[in-house]
Amino acid sequence: VFQDAALLNRITVFHYAGHATANKLFFENADGTSESADAFGLLPLLATADSLQLVFFNGCLTSKMAVALNNRGVPAVIGTVSRVKDTLSMELAQAFYQRLANGLPLDKIWQQSTAAIQARIGEDDYRDYYKEESVRGDVPLGVKEDRLPWEIYYREGAEDVKYWNLPSAAGQPLFGLPDIQKQYDLPNVPYRLMSAYTQDDA
């Protein structure tokens, strides 16, 4: 899809679900074997889709790549600050995409989806959200005890993406077209009325 000129700027959401480390994503080959890819090598590829509004890295330890992609221009990126339980990753994704399909705005989706997880698991012990190997002693590695393992990052200056929703993108006839570049000073009135148009008016 990223190699197709007709589709590249029609991509709005990219979701990765699978195993990850702080700098690698793991993909499955056609024969079922696993192969790793350098996550930071993939970020420039993802950033080529100008229409991309959201990237969801739903794997362990993906917060650094989320911030890096955010800095490359993607308005909203979700990552994880530690190792997270697979079952909870799937549960969050299900809650998230049900709401996305129902047309809620992005920030509201995030608030509701994470609240749904917290309503079931509770807030008494946030370690319940992390894989056991993330925990050394009483504290998850690199994580405070008072937070979820997922984090959403909004690019500075692109906070309007919080109100972005899928139906508005699907119903936008100009979606995927490049922005009009202002190359000339435009007149207040674009009509010549009874006068002839000249090359200068093009």
Side-chain angles (χ1 to χ4, degrees):
V1 172
F2 278 84
Q3 297 174 28
D4 190 329
L7 298 176
L8 176 61
N9 286 325
R10 297 193 63 79
I11 304 169
T12 57
V13 178
F14 180 88
H15 183 90
Y16 174 83
H19 296 295
T21 66
N23 59 359
K24 290 189 182 297
L25 300 176
F26 293 88
F27 295 91
E28 185 175 306
N29 292 317
D31 61 3
T33 59
S34 178
E35 185 172 345
S36 66
D38 182 82
F40 291 92
L42 287 175
L43 299 188
L45 171 67
L46 295 176
T48 61
D50 295 334
S51 56
L52 200 56
Q53 299 297 307
L54 168 71
V55 171
F56 195 153
F57 288 123
N58 203 9
C60 296
L61 300 164
T62 55
S63 61
K64 286 185 179 179
M65 61 185 81
V67 171
L69 188 57
N70 206 227
N71 292 335
R72 283 184 171 269
V74 177
V77 189
I78 298 169
T80 56
V81 297
S82 186
R83 298 187 185 277
V84 62
K85 290 182 178 179
D86 297 345
T87 52
L88 288 181
S89 292
M90 291 185 285
E91 189 175 328
L92 177 67
Q94 183 179 18
F96 184 90
Y97 287 106
Q98 282 178 339
R99 288 163 173 79
L100 183 68
N102 287 334
L104 291 177
L106 180 57
D107 196 54
K108 190 72 69 178
I109 292 170
W110 184 247
Q111 292 176 33
Q112 288 190 8
S113 301
T114 52
I117 300 294
Q118 289 177 292
R120 191 175 73 76
I121 306 298
E123 297 181 342
D124 293 336
D125 192 345
Y126 275 91
R127 290 175 298 178
D128 291 339
Y129 295 86
Y130 300 91
K131 283 187 176 179
E132 291 180 2
E133 58 264 37
S134 298
V135 179
R136 180 173 55 197
D138 296 327
V139 182
L141 295 181
V143 178
K144 297 179 180 179
E145 291 183 288
D146 60 349
R147 63 177 296 181
L148 294 172
W150 303 278
E151 188 75 40
I152 188 166
Y153 303 91
Y154 294 113
R155 182 170 61 83
E156 186 176 352
E159 290 83 1
D160 283 353
V161 74
K162 293 181 179 182
Y163 308 104
W164 178 86
N165 64 79
L166 201 54
S168 65
Q172 170 56 263
L174 302 180
F175 177 74
L177 296 178
D179 292 334
I180 296 174
Q181 301 298 315
K182 184 177 179 181
Q183 300 175 350
Y184 309 99
D185 291 328
L186 301 178
N188 292 328
V189 179
Y191 308 108
R192 296 282 291 157
L193 302 177
M194 297 300 292
S195 302
Y197 286 96
T198 68
Q199 182 64 37
D200 291 338
D201 299 314

